[in-house]
Amino acid sequence: QLRLSAKSGIRLLSTASPPAALVKELRVLSGSAPLLACRNALSETSVEGTFDVTLALKHLRSTQTSKTKSKTSGRVMSEGAITFTKSGFGGASGLALTCETDFAAKSETFVNFSIDLLGNLKEKVEKADGFKNLELHTGNEIIDNDAHLKKIWDEALLGVRENMSVRGAFSVTGDSYFCSYVHNKLGGDESSDVGKVGAVVELKGSVDVEKLEEVGKKLAMHVVAASPKYLSIDDIPEEVMEEEKSILAKQLEDDKKPADIKEKMMKGRLNKWASQICLLEQEHVADADGGAVKKVLKREKISCE
């Protein structure tokens, strides 16, 4: 007979084996844990034929999480998703979360967990609660050192049933407009978007928000397509520039042209190389009128930080 506890809200049922309704409820609460595991958890925590979903969930989390970690230990995590906060003024946050298979990466459990985890990390940054500098965190140290994050991580692991890892994360603030874009979108909510790849650009300009969003979205799409390494030529580290010069000099060693001609050739090749890896110098692939990114931004009276 089904009865509801007014005090705790726990649904209890007295029967010989867990009914399908309770197994289904436990599976939903656990984030899609295996049906057999849910059924066993209800049976193993039952008292005199009475089933307690809350106790079963606690048991499931403790036993299945450890089993999942044991089974997935050492597996390669080549899939995953990128999660960015929505475009807007004031700042942006992002998270790269990896898993083992594309199937898991596209699952509702994994997508929702990505959004939830980014929201929790962003909140901790804003409160300066042990995460004053989240920039480029990798691995799971940011999870293991926080009890609440560890709890939601273990809950998600129960549903995803694959090895997961934080590949990177960031959170920045400022007065600029931060425009985000994700490609191959997997999901999202009012605060964040989740996709396979993505980018965030920081813009400034005396134009309306609609124009900032339009230009920013195209620029972020360009970043995803062109994968620039630096913003401008001035941002290329000196050692990287010198290494490229050395490579070009070796390529011209056997050339019989005069030294001044070879110098011009090297300069031309160096400029071409720089234009391919610097955002502002690249040809804008997402703008209908084309031209270098810096020219497009100048035309729109917008700067990229």
Side-chain angles (χ1 to χ4, degrees):
Q1 213 174 14
L2 187 68
R3 72 181 189 273
L4 183 67
S5 169
K7 183 177 180 181
S8 64
I10 299 172
R11 289 204 293 173
L12 304 171
L13 188 65
S14 298
T15 184
S17 61
L22 283 187
V23 174
K24 182 179 179 181
E25 180 182 354
L26 181 56
R27 189 164 192 261
V28 171
L29 291 173
S30 64
S32 301
L35 285 172
L36 182 59
C38 292
R39 188 177 294 112
N40 290 340
L42 284 164
S43 297
E44 290 169 13
T45 57
S46 65
V47 179
E48 297 180 355
T50 299
F51 299 98
D52 189 321
V53 175
T54 301
L55 286 178
L57 183 59
K58 288 180 180 179
H59 178 73
L60 188 62
R61 283 173 177 165
S62 62
T63 57
Q64 287 298 120
T65 298
S66 59
K67 286 181 181 179
T68 301
K69 287 179 178 178
S70 175
K71 290 180 180 179
T72 60
S73 178
R75 291 182 186 174
V76 176
M77 293 169 285
S78 58
E79 295 292 338
I82 300 291
T83 306
F84 289 130
T85 49
K86 297 275 191 180
S87 301
F89 288 101
S93 298
L95 170 72
L97 188 65
T98 62
C99 59
E100 297 171 36
T101 65
D102 185 57
F103 178 79
K106 292 178 179 178
S107 69
E108 185 178 356
T109 300
F110 188 84
V111 170
N112 289 340
F113 173 59
S114 297
I115 295 171
D116 188 26
L117 182 58
L118 178 59
N120 275 274
L121 291 174
K122 182 173 178 289
E123 182 180 349
K124 288 186 172 294
V125 170
E126 291 170 349
K127 292 180 178 178
D129 184 17
F131 291 92
K132 293 179 181 179
N133 182 15
L134 188 62
E135 187 72 24
L136 298 179
H137 268 289
T138 57
N140 293 347
E141 72 276 4
I142 57 176
I143 305 299
D144 295 334
N145 294 331
D146 186 280
H148 176 65
L149 294 180
K150 187 71 166 59
K151 180 176 179 292
I152 63 173
W153 181 276
D154 286 345
E155 290 173 358
L157 190 63
L158 188 62
V160 175
R161 300 197 295 280
E162 286 191 2
N163 207 5
M164 299 188 297
S165 178
V166 175
R167 177 166 291 176
F170 74 89
S171 187
V172 294
T173 58
D175 298 329
S176 310
Y177 185 81
F178 293 84
C179 186
S180 60
Y181 166 75
V182 295
H183 190 63
N184 290 336
K185 187 173 179 180
L186 301 175
D189 63 3
E190 69 281 354
S191 65
S192 308
D193 285 321
V194 184
K196 297 299 288 182
V197 292
V200 176
V201 294
E202 181 181 358
L203 303 176
K204 285 186 178 180
S206 300
V207 295
D208 57 32
V209 176
E210 287 74 19
K211 176 58 70 174
L212 285 170
E213 178 66 17
E214 177 190 346
V215 174
K217 192 70 70 178
K218 288 181 179 179
L219 185 57
M221 291 171 67
H222 166 89
V223 171
V224 170
S227 301
K229 294 182 178 179
Y230 308 100
L231 177 62
S232 68
I233 293 178
D234 292 337
D235 295 312
I236 301 177
E238 186 177 346
E239 61 271 19
V240 175
M241 187 70 80
E242 290 303 318
E243 182 181 356
E244 186 62 23
K245 285 181 180 179
S246 176
I247 293 172
L248 293 175
K250 277 197 170 185
Q251 292 175 354
L252 293 171
E253 273 182 357
D254 298 329
D255 198 300
K256 304 302 181 182
K257 294 183 179 66
D260 60 330
I261 299 298
K262 290 169 69 172
E263 184 67 28
K264 289 180 181 179
M265 290 173 64
M266 177 181 285
K267 187 176 180 180
R269 293 182 184 183
L270 194 64
N271 287 337
K272 182 179 179 181
W273 165 78
S275 70
Q276 293 173 340
I277 62 173
C278 296
L279 174 61
L280 296 179
E281 303 298 327
Q282 290 178 330
E283 290 291 309
H284 202 315
V285 300
D287 186 84
D289 297 327
V293 169
K294 62 182 179 183
K295 292 182 178 179
V296 173
L297 293 175
K298 184 178 180 179
R299 184 188 70 215
E300 300 293 352
K301 299 178 180 178
I302 292 173
S303 65
C304 182
E305 303 295 315

